[in-house]
Amino acid sequence: AQSVTQPDARVTVSEGASLQLRCKYSYSATPYLFWYVQYPRQGLQLLLKYYSGDPVVQGVNGFEAEFSKSNSSFHLRKASVHWSDSAVYFCAVSYNRIFFGDGTQLVVKP
Amino acid sequence: DMKVTQMPRYLIKRMGENVLLECGQDMSHETMYWYRQDPGLGLQLIYISYDVDSNSEGDIPKGYRVSRKKREHFSLILDSAKTNQTSVYFCASSLSGEVFFGKGTRLTVV
């Protein structure tokens, strides 16, 4: 069965520090891969997407993600976080339908 | 501007009442979704619609039904609402795997 795993329910980092949010998927082929962000009382917004090609994709607000076929992973990174990055981040995979991970809550300490 | 619009944003209903949640999109996407989101549980898929009158159950369809008579409009109906249906409901549409979300409807059943 297809699944998406975000192993960290909550991550706390200091402002200015680097960030990695982990995502692993379980699927035999390479699906489309996405990261979404959800701010309080809002819907999910697309951060970035991977369809094929260069395994490192750039997104909005300095976020990037790296696809690894060998590890079945699609980790999200940011070099220097800002307090406004505090939100819930969802990894998602899409083949015939989209599957979301359970989300990782990011808390950025001032 | 691509948009998914949900109405109403907030709704309070008594147990046993019927509830209608409305969703519209202006992108002519064929595929639309209804999700619910509860604290700590991520997104749960209720129904998928592949086009007008082409609807399929998601992971948690019990207690819900949907209607899609026009491509741009997808409704979620709760017949005789229950208190455990208190949640935030998100409508979404998709193209090429990328999902666009509305801002959600916060439903409270008392």
Side-chain angles (χ1 to χ4, degrees):
Chain A
Q2 299 159 38
S3 68
V4 182
T5 302
Q6 295 181 245
D8 305 307
R10 182 182 172 105
V11 170
T12 301
V13 297
S14 298
E15 192 168 23
S18 63
L19 169 73
Q20 177 172 275
L21 301 182
R22 297 180 292 165
C23 173
K24 296 204 74 171
Y25 66 90
S26 171
Y27 191 68
S28 56
T30 299
Y32 297 159
L33 298 158
F34 305 87
W35 275 98
Y36 287 84
V37 60
Q38 184 180 30
Y39 299 103
R41 294 174 296 283
Q42 297 287 323
L44 279 68
Q45 304 170 35
L46 182 69
L47 268 182
L48 48 77
K49 59 189 176 187
Y50 174 80
Y51 288 165
S52 65
D54 189 337
V56 178
V57 291
Q58 305 295 323
V60 298
N61 297 332
F63 285 95
E64 67 174 28
E66 183 166 7
F67 164 65
S68 170
K69 187 173 182 177
S70 60
N71 294 324
S72 296
S73 67
F74 189 55
H75 300 331
L76 181 70
R77 302 189 299 236
K78 187 170 184 178
S80 176
V81 297
H82 187 264
W83 66 266
S84 59
D85 292 326
S86 295
V88 180
Y89 292 79
F90 290 91
C91 181
V93 301
S94 177
Y95 183 63
N96 55 355
R97 57 164 274 193
I98 191 162
F99 295 86
F100 288 91
D102 290 335
T104 297
Q105 182 173 11
L106 173 65
V107 176
V108 180
K109 296 188 301 182
Chain B
D1 190 22
M2 298 184 292
K3 193 182 296 184
V4 177
T5 304
Q6 292 185 239
M7 294 293 289
R9 293 293 314 279
Y10 300 91
L11 187 61
I12 299 175
K13 286 288 195 178
R14 295 187 186 278
M15 192 168 56
E17 290 186 326
N18 297 331
V19 179
L20 173 65
L21 304 185
E22 311 238 43
C23 174
Q25 50 105 355
D26 60 3
M27 298 167 277
S28 295
H29 289 167
E30 293 177 351
T31 305
M32 297 187 72
Y33 308 82
W34 275 105
Y35 290 90
R36 65 177 281 177
Q37 186 178 37
D38 300 297
L41 289 180
L43 291 164
Q44 299 178 82
L45 179 64
I46 306 172
Y47 268 93
I48 304 175
S49 174
Y50 295 104
D51 211 333
V52 171
D53 285 330
S54 179
N55 307 316
S56 293
E57 295 181 346
D59 300 323
I60 55 160
K62 187 177 180 181
Y64 304 94
R65 61 184 175 93
V66 292
S67 175
R68 191 160 180 209
K69 298 301 181 185
K70 295 182 179 180
R71 178 173 285 183
E72 64 270 20
H73 194 247
F74 190 34
S75 300
L76 181 69
I77 302 117
L78 289 66
D79 295 314
S80 187
K82 300 173 181 54
T83 55
N84 62 8
Q85 293 178 308
T86 292
S87 188
V88 180
Y89 291 86
F90 287 100
C91 175
S93 68
S94 72
L95 180 67
S96 299
E98 182 177 344
V99 182
F100 299 82
F101 284 87
K103 292 188 175 182
T105 295
R106 185 174 294 273
L107 172 66
T108 302
V109 182
V110 298

